[in-house]
Amino acid sequence: MSAQNIFSINRKKLFLVLIVLFAVLVFAFPQTTSAASIATTGQSADGFLCSDSWTTPFMSTAITWATNQGVPGPDVLNMRNDIFSFFGAPGGPEGNIKTLSDSSGVLSWNLRQVQGIPGDGQRCQARITAATSFPPPLPPEITIDANGNDPETITEGESVIINWSVANNNSGSCSASGDWFGSKNPTVGSESQGSPSAGPYTYTLECTNSDGSDTKSVNVTVNSAPPELTVTPPSLAFGDVTVLSPSLLDFTVTNTGGGTLSGDVLSAGLTTPEFECLSNCFYGPISVGAPWDVTIRFIPTDTISYSDTAIFSCTSGCSNADQSRDVTGNGVAGPPPTADSFDPPTATIAQGSTVTLTWTSTGADPDGCTIDDSTTGIPYTPLAEDGTLDVQPDSDTTYTLTCSNASGASNALTSVITVNPPPQITDFRATPDTFTAPGSSILDWDSTGATSCLGSGFNTGGATNGFVTVSPSVTTTYMLTCSGPGGPDHVLTVDVTVNEPLNVTLDPGDSSVVEGQSTILSWDGGGATSCTGFGFNTGGATSGNVQVTPVAPASTYRVTCTVPGDSDTAEVIITVKSPAISISVNPRIVIPDRTIVISWTTVDMDSCELLDPGGIGVASGINSSYTTPAITADGTYTLNCTALGELFSATVMVKIFSPRFEEI
């Protein structure tokens, strides 16, 4: 084969290699590049000038080299790197082409070309270096602040100015979001947001160019203006007020600042007992302009003049100090009161019954009335000028009403109550009052004021005191009725509780669970009066449900329930599974059209299914393996396993080996 034919064949091979190399470099170096065309010429020993050109696949950088045309013998161009080799005619001198790559993104080639008949010593040499740079991407970089700060805090009424600058964004765009909006200058800007009301604000700026994007925010907190305490009128004058008679006047508290106002009437003021803050003494929160009425009560105790000072405080950070307001008033005398009515004048009641005494008066002090008890000698006082009083005398009693004010006492009125003592059961009990069948109980009773007592469910023989033994087979209520001349019959009951033998149950809900999973325990005390759990808390309840989380490998739960004289216990054991999956692939990286083996083992699984990359089930079993068909593409195999209804998954990734070819 001639040298020309060899060179032609090698050119075709070189073209194919260059296409592959171009694809590799496009995906390996996707950045924007600059290309340089370097024409190199050389002179051979016999003076011939060699020239030709070749465009490399390296980002279209042009390489020009010299050849010795017109001289007998083959032209030989030798280039070599770790991706491809290109040789001239067999036996021709070797040259080399070498690719370098460093952080600057520079690619260099060195070329040696030999021409002429091998061994004739004539050669034309050229050294060619081509460099391609890959500048890094330059996404935008945002700087943003509010009033020169990030974050910023201001008070209501102050303004907010958002300032921003953006590097690397001359041909980009910017837009606002959050508490502002719209397109913004892509490089630098300043924009007033006015004077916002109290609250938090976030101003976000997003900028984008061909190399990427950036988003930054600045937070602004606007605090409320402080409240201001205003109290009107400047003073209160009660004038003349009858001694021990109340008089009410109001101060009005108003917030004339901002935010909300809270405070109280301080105890340091109104030290004179005749003056008192009666209502709304703790005020707030009061919004701006809203009135709050504080009521002051004046009750003079003597016929003199009184004065004091009310001090109004602010506890919510007011802009001004506490406010003091004067109060004045005079006490004047009035006529003595009169007792107008006192009912009932007379009445007869059974012992233990209640009678309601009702009275009215005129001119009495607010708490100026008294009712005396002739039996106990202890008066009911102080009482209002008009009112009612429930009394329950044990014997005949006379009640006497009198009222008073600063000018003296009223007339006296009486109510005479006659008391007839009724029969009274003083004791009726069962010992014991609860037992587990079979058993018995003793009923014991005593009474006063009774002439006879009758039992329901047992026989008293009419005795007003005594005891009997009863043996009920079920829970029974016994009733005792005692009668006498002093009033209605007196009736009492007593219960004797009969318990069946206990039958305690404990249901685990699930006898097996996955580790970390919960189940519901249910228990029933079967008539018990209390139950105590082991491994869980019953809260004393005799039946119920509780959620528990057993611990591997198993957990024991127990409940013990009791009634007086009996107890019973139930127990369950819940096993705990700890599911696990181990999956492997051999080989992990496979040559195209070869098969692989996927193997797996599991712990505490009920079933497993292997899905191919298309989600189709291809194998099953909790411990198994699967040989795939010929692999043609990267893919992920998924193993789905279940344990007690819960899904567990594991995956393996298969990758296709992509070899690099070298022309030899």
Side-chain angles (χ1 to χ4, degrees):
M1 181 181 293
S2 68
Q4 182 177 1
N5 290 337
I6 293 174
F7 194 70
S8 175
I9 292 172
N10 286 338
R11 281 179 180 270
K12 293 178 180 179
K13 292 182 180 179
L14 177 60
F15 178 73
L16 294 175
V17 172
L18 293 179
I19 292 175
V20 174
L21 183 58
F22 176 75
V24 171
L25 290 175
V26 167
F27 287 103
F29 303 99
Q31 302 93 332
T32 302
T33 65
S34 62
S37 176
I38 304 172
T40 304
T41 61
Q43 183 107 12
S44 67
D46 56 3
F48 286 97
L49 181 64
C50 310
S51 66
D52 203 345
S53 65
W54 167 57
T55 300
T56 75
F58 301 104
M59 313 307 273
S60 298
T61 299
I63 303 296
T64 303
W65 69 89
T67 62
N68 191 4
Q69 299 178 355
V71 178
D75 291 339
V76 181
L77 175 63
N78 297 310
M79 292 180 291
R80 175 179 296 162
N81 60 19
D82 59 352
I83 298 178
F84 68 90
S85 295
F86 177 76
F87 296 94
E94 293 188 0
N96 67 80
I97 177 169
K98 185 177 182 182
T99 300
L100 303 176
S101 177
D102 58 24
S103 60
S104 64
V106 175
L107 303 177
S108 299
W109 298 266
N110 294 325
L111 171 68
R112 185 180 69 186
Q113 187 272 334
V114 178
Q115 64 83 31
I117 299 174
D120 65 0
Q122 297 179 1
R123 62 183 61 215
C124 176
Q125 295 182 350
R127 176 180 178 83
I128 301 154
T129 300
T132 303
S133 298
F134 304 97
L138 294 174
E141 296 181 9
I142 300 173
T143 301
I144 187 170
D145 64 67
N147 298 341
N149 299 311
D150 182 13
E152 170 69 323
T153 300
I154 63 173
T155 302
E156 274 186 307
E158 297 179 346
S159 60
V160 176
I161 297 177
I162 303 301
N163 308 296
W164 71 93
S165 62
V166 189
N168 310 324
N169 205 40
N170 289 333
S171 60
S173 63
C174 295
S175 61
S177 61
D179 290 303
W180 64 337
F181 59 90
S183 298
K184 304 301 176 185
N185 189 294
T187 58
V188 65
S190 181
E191 183 175 301
S192 175
Q193 304 302 312
S195 300
S197 58
Y201 296 85
T202 298
Y203 300 91
T204 301
L205 184 66
E206 180 179 8
C207 296
T208 303
N209 65 18
S210 59
D211 287 340
S213 63
D214 189 18
T215 301
K216 295 288 173 53
S217 298
V218 61
N219 294 319
V220 177
T221 300
V222 182
N223 295 323
S224 299
E228 181 176 349
L229 174 64
T230 300
V231 182
T232 55
S235 64
L236 290 181
F238 286 86
D240 293 337
V241 179
T242 301
V243 172
L244 300 182
S245 297
S247 179
L248 307 178
L249 291 176
D250 291 340
F251 282 112
T252 299
V253 176
T254 307
N255 178 9
T256 56
T260 58
L261 168 70
S262 297
D264 61 352
V265 179
L266 297 178
S267 59
L270 298 182
T271 57
T272 303
E274 285 76 10
F275 292 105
E276 177 188 12
C277 183
L278 183 65
S279 63
N280 293 337
C281 305
F282 292 86
Y283 39 84
I286 305 174
S287 57
V288 176
W292 186 286
D293 291 334
V294 177
T295 301
I296 306 298
R297 182 173 66 180
F298 173 48
I299 304 178
T301 57
D302 201 354
T303 55
I304 59 174
S305 295
Y306 297 89
S307 64
D308 208 335
T309 301
I311 302 175
F312 294 82
S313 73
C314 173
T315 59
S316 54
C318 285
S319 60
N320 57 340
D322 295 346
Q323 303 292 301
S324 297
R325 296 293 183 266
D326 292 336
V327 291
T328 59
N330 305 314
V332 295
T338 58
D340 299 324
S341 64
F342 192 32
D343 296 314
T346 62
T348 300
I349 63 172
Q351 190 178 46
S353 297
T354 299
V355 64
T356 299
L357 303 177
T358 303
W359 70 94
T360 61
S361 67
T362 301
D365 290 338
D367 296 322
C369 291
T370 300
I371 295 178
D372 292 318
D373 185 327
S374 64
T375 300
T376 64
I378 301 173
Y380 296 92
T381 188
L383 298 173
E385 60 269 33
D386 301 318
T388 61
L389 176 67
D390 291 336
V391 294
Q392 193 177 56
D394 291 330
S395 59
D396 296 346
T397 302
T398 298
Y399 297 94
T400 302
L401 170 71
T402 58
C403 298
S404 63
N405 63 20
S407 300
S410 71
N411 55 311
L413 298 177
T414 60
S415 176
V416 179
I417 307 300
T418 302
V419 178
N420 291 323
Q424 185 75 28
I425 301 172
T426 58
D427 185 25
F428 184 37
R429 64 182 181 274
T431 308
D433 59 0
T434 302
F435 61 83
T436 299
S440 62
S441 178
I442 297 176
L443 300 180
D444 197 343
W445 72 96
D446 200 355
S447 65
T448 60
T451 56
S452 66
C453 293
L454 300 177
S456 174
F458 69 104
N459 185 14
T460 65
T464 57
N465 57 73
F467 65 90
V468 297
T469 299
V470 293
S471 301
S473 59
V474 296
T475 298
T476 303
T477 298
Y478 296 94
M479 183 171 63
L480 178 67
T481 302
C482 293
S483 303
D489 295 343
H490 190 202
V491 178
L492 287 181
T493 60
V494 65
D495 293 330
V496 176
T497 302
V498 180
N499 295 320
E500 295 293 332
L502 292 179
N503 180 24
V504 178
T505 60
L506 181 62
D507 183 358
D510 295 308
S511 59
S512 295
V513 297
V514 174
E515 187 171 12
Q517 197 175 60
S518 298
T519 186
I520 301 297
L521 286 179
S522 302
W523 75 95
D524 191 332
T529 56
S530 66
C531 292
T532 302
F534 171 78
F536 69 100
N537 185 11
T538 66
T542 58
S543 64
N545 303 305
V546 65
Q547 179 173 292
V548 296
T549 304
V551 179
S555 292
T556 299
Y557 299 94
R558 187 181 305 115
V559 62
T560 299
C561 300
T562 63
V563 294
D566 195 14
S567 66
D568 191 23
T569 298
E571 179 181 282
V572 295
I573 298 175
I574 301 176
T575 58
V576 180
K577 290 187 175 184
S578 301
I581 299 175
S582 175
I583 186 169
S584 62
V585 59
N586 185 26
R588 182 175 294 276
I589 299 177
V590 62
I591 296 174
D593 296 323
R594 299 287 182 89
T595 64
I596 63 170
V597 177
I598 300 173
S599 303
W600 64 91
T601 59
T602 67
V603 177
D604 284 342
M605 292 297 180
D606 297 328
S607 64
C608 294
E609 182 182 24
L610 181 67
L611 306 180
D612 67 9
I616 299 174
V618 294
S620 61
I622 59 175
N623 298 293
S624 188
S625 63
Y626 170 69
T627 300
T628 69
I631 301 298
T632 60
D634 295 350
T636 299
Y637 284 80
T638 302
L639 183 65
N640 289 333
C641 299
T642 59
L644 297 179
E646 187 170 345
L647 178 64
F648 298 84
S649 298
T651 61
V652 291
M653 179 175 287
V654 177
K655 296 190 70 66
I656 293 296
F657 173 65
S658 299
R660 293 180 297 183
F661 298 98
E662 180 176 299
E663 183 73 27
I664 298 177

